Amino acid sequence: MLTYILRRIGLAGLMLFGLVCLTFVIANIAPSDPAALAAGPDAGRSQIEQARREYGLDRPLHEQFLRYVGDLTRLEFGRSIATGRPVGADLARYFPATLELCIVAMIIGLVLGVPLGILSALYKDGPIDHFTRIFAVTGVALPPFWFGLLLQLAFAAWLGWLPTSGRLSVFTEPADPITGLLLVDSLMQGNGGMFVEAASYMALPALVLSFPCLAQILRVNRSEMVEALRADYIVAARAHGVRPGRIVVVHALKNAMLPTLAIIGLRWGWMISSTVLVETVFDWPGTGLYAVSSAIAGDFKPVMGVTLIVGLNFMIANLLVDLMYGVLDPRLRSA
């Protein structure tokens, strides 16, 4: 098992180094000039050259790359050229909002997707199965930004039940940050009113973000449950009089969850990256909105930082899934 874990960690490390190289190359082949952006729109040639020297952009590429990697080993992501603020400080401020949104969306996907997949398999080819299959196809095919606009029209503009943008009302003073996750911090400080308000602001973006994940979990879980319920060991369990609920939960679901775990790992990475669209639609103050505003300004340091954070989360999620696979299926440890 230890060899299996070390092999997976080594592979994740290689992928992370590849991502570092990729972000550096893309930032250096981009058409915009960071020195001109740093110097300002009215700067002359001498001021642009001074900014280039100040940010080390006049150095050879290999020196810039080594400096970039060295900074990353100290968890320094450089400074935003547009604002002058450290990118690491900005990421620490914005990432908890994105993380909280993704956690809630994943919980919605799991809590609804797994039971619906089980129901669909148990009532295969019945009305419930047809409904959930149409629901799953819709969830995979529906563009998140379009779905988000529909929900804003329905629940905010027409019904007036939920807010459309932001994380809290502009009149509400946020809770003192402990974890950076508003729902958790408000509960830890016993502020029920803020918890309800934060949950109402999160409802629509979390639902939009969870919908494709929910649909894919439902489809995979249904397919695996159908196969598992046909297996010989399930027939034998029924013949021995094992209760139907135990057959589904203990015997069939355990095997059906293996591919679902892989989907969760892949979808977690997709969620972190998809927040770019969802946060833009709902004006959610997370890393997605931060990356979009920085890219529009031609400021690539924040974009590189966000890309690395997204990639790192994707790799960690897949590493955890691989390790859980190794625990659940011992044959994979020697593969």
Side-chain angles (χ1 to χ4, degrees):
M1 186 65 185
L2 181 61
T3 306
Y4 176 79
I5 293 173
L6 292 176
R7 197 165 59 232
R8 289 291 181 259
I9 292 175
L11 185 60
L14 283 176
M15 291 171 64
L16 182 60
F17 182 71
L19 182 62
V20 169
C21 296
L22 189 63
T23 54
F24 181 80
V25 169
I26 291 175
N28 279 278
I29 63 175
S32 66
D33 184 357
L37 175 65
D42 301 322
R45 188 177 183 82
S46 60
Q47 292 168 303
I48 293 176
E49 290 305 319
Q50 183 181 349
R52 199 181 305 281
R53 288 192 295 274
E54 181 182 347
Y55 282 92
L57 299 172
D58 60 332
R59 310 302 300 170
L61 274 181
H62 71 276
E63 287 188 23
Q64 292 185 45
F65 178 72
L66 291 176
R67 182 179 174 185
Y68 175 54
V69 174
D71 287 344
L72 289 179
T73 59
R74 298 189 295 274
L75 297 179
E76 293 177 4
F77 296 86
R79 275 190 301 154
S80 163
I81 289 177
T83 65
R85 291 197 302 267
V87 174
D90 283 346
L91 290 176
R93 176 184 172 193
Y94 294 122
F95 185 65
T98 297
L99 182 65
E100 185 173 42
L101 181 63
C102 290
I103 290 173
V104 173
M106 181 59 79
I107 290 173
I108 294 173
L110 279 172
V111 168
L112 295 180
V114 172
L116 285 176
I118 295 172
L119 277 178
S120 185
L122 289 175
Y123 298 98
K124 185 174 177 294
D125 296 329
I128 293 177
D129 187 30
H130 294 315
F131 172 77
T132 53
R133 288 166 71 182
I134 292 172
F135 180 75
V137 171
T138 305
V140 172
L142 204 60
F145 68 92
W146 190 74
F147 184 42
L149 293 175
L150 281 182
L151 290 185
Q152 283 183 330
L153 280 174
F155 290 96
W158 293 341
L159 298 173
W161 290 352
L162 295 169
T164 58
S165 62
R167 209 176 171 196
L168 280 176
S169 163
V170 293
F171 302 108
T172 303
E173 186 70 23
D176 294 332
I178 300 174
T179 64
L181 312 179
L182 264 182
L183 295 177
V184 177
D185 289 351
S186 56
L187 281 180
M188 291 175 72
Q189 297 174 27
N191 194 337
M194 181 172 290
F195 177 84
V196 173
E197 183 178 341
S200 70
Y201 274 81
M202 180 171 291
L204 292 183
L207 190 60
V208 171
L209 196 59
S210 73
F211 201 42
C213 176
L214 188 164
Q216 196 162 10
I217 289 175
L218 191 162
R219 291 180 66 186
V220 172
N221 197 252
R222 174 196 176 275
S223 172
E224 295 299 321
M225 282 296 292
V226 167
E227 291 299 318
L229 290 171
R230 290 176 180 161
D232 292 341
Y233 66 92
I234 295 293
V235 176
R238 284 181 179 138
H240 283 84
V242 180
R243 286 177 297 164
R246 183 175 176 80
I247 289 176
V248 171
V249 176
V250 177
H251 299 286
L253 184 60
K254 181 182 175 184
N255 291 324
M257 282 302 290
L258 277 173
T260 306
L261 283 176
I263 294 299
I264 292 170
L266 291 173
R267 276 293 163 181
W268 178 258
W270 177 91
M271 269 189 183
I272 294 279
S273 57
S274 295
T275 53
V276 171
L277 285 176
V278 176
E279 289 181 3
T280 303
V281 171
F282 288 95
D283 197 24
W284 185 264
T287 50
L289 191 60
Y290 176 56
V292 169
S293 57
S294 300
I296 291 173
D299 188 3
F300 283 95
K301 282 288 184 183
V303 178
M304 292 163 72
V306 171
T307 305
L308 287 174
I309 291 294
V310 170
L312 184 61
N313 271 276
F314 186 81
M315 289 170 200
I316 290 174
N318 277 278
L319 177 63
L320 291 176
V321 170
D322 281 348
L323 296 181
M324 289 177 70
Y325 253 82
V327 172
L328 294 172
D329 190 349
R331 293 172 299 177
L332 294 176
R333 299 175 201 168
S334 57

